[in-house]
Amino acid sequence: MQRRTVQVTNRLGLHARAAAKLVHVANRFQSTIALARCDNGQTVDAKSILGVLLLAASAGTYLDVIASGDDEEEAVEAICRLIESKFGEEGGATS
């Protein structure tokens, strides 16, 4: 199992378009992938758009990206890179 903590830094947080990008990236991997808010422990399936939106992760929220499976390292890296790039918004790079 791979786990990494990342902070949501884009101004609008994990809004609908950003969540859609995250789910799209998550679904490229075979691993089971979860996102957990560090402040309250709420955990959701990263491959579910509804689940990701229910996190209501605003700017500044810390999330744990947790993956388990054959491609878990690549999955955690890709999702963290997407979040750290501010989802390709605000001049950040996309993955």
Side-chain angles (χ1 to χ4, degrees):
M1 180 174 78
Q2 293 290 316
R3 178 186 211 115
R4 187 168 148 196
T5 301
V6 65
Q7 184 180 26
V8 177
T9 57
N10 61 315
R11 186 174 52 87
L12 298 175
L14 196 45
H15 59 85
R17 188 173 51 245
K21 285 183 179 180
L22 191 148
V23 169
H24 179 75
V25 169
N27 277 296
R28 294 189 335 218
F29 298 96
Q30 297 287 322
S31 294
T32 300
I33 306 169
L35 296 175
R37 286 183 64 120
C38 294
D39 58 351
N40 64 14
Q42 179 185 6
T43 303
V44 300
D45 180 357
K47 296 181 179 182
S48 164
I49 185 75
L50 182 59
V52 172
L53 287 171
L54 287 174
L55 281 175
S58 58
T61 301
Y62 284 93
L63 298 174
D64 280 334
V65 180
I66 307 156
S68 179
D70 291 339
D71 52 4
E72 61 192 26
E73 286 186 41
E74 295 87 355
V76 168
E77 177 61 30
I79 291 172
C80 288
R81 190 175 339 115
L82 177 66
I83 294 171
E84 290 167 347
S85 74
K86 301 180 181 182
F87 302 95
E89 302 170 344
E90 303 175 25
T94 60
S95 62

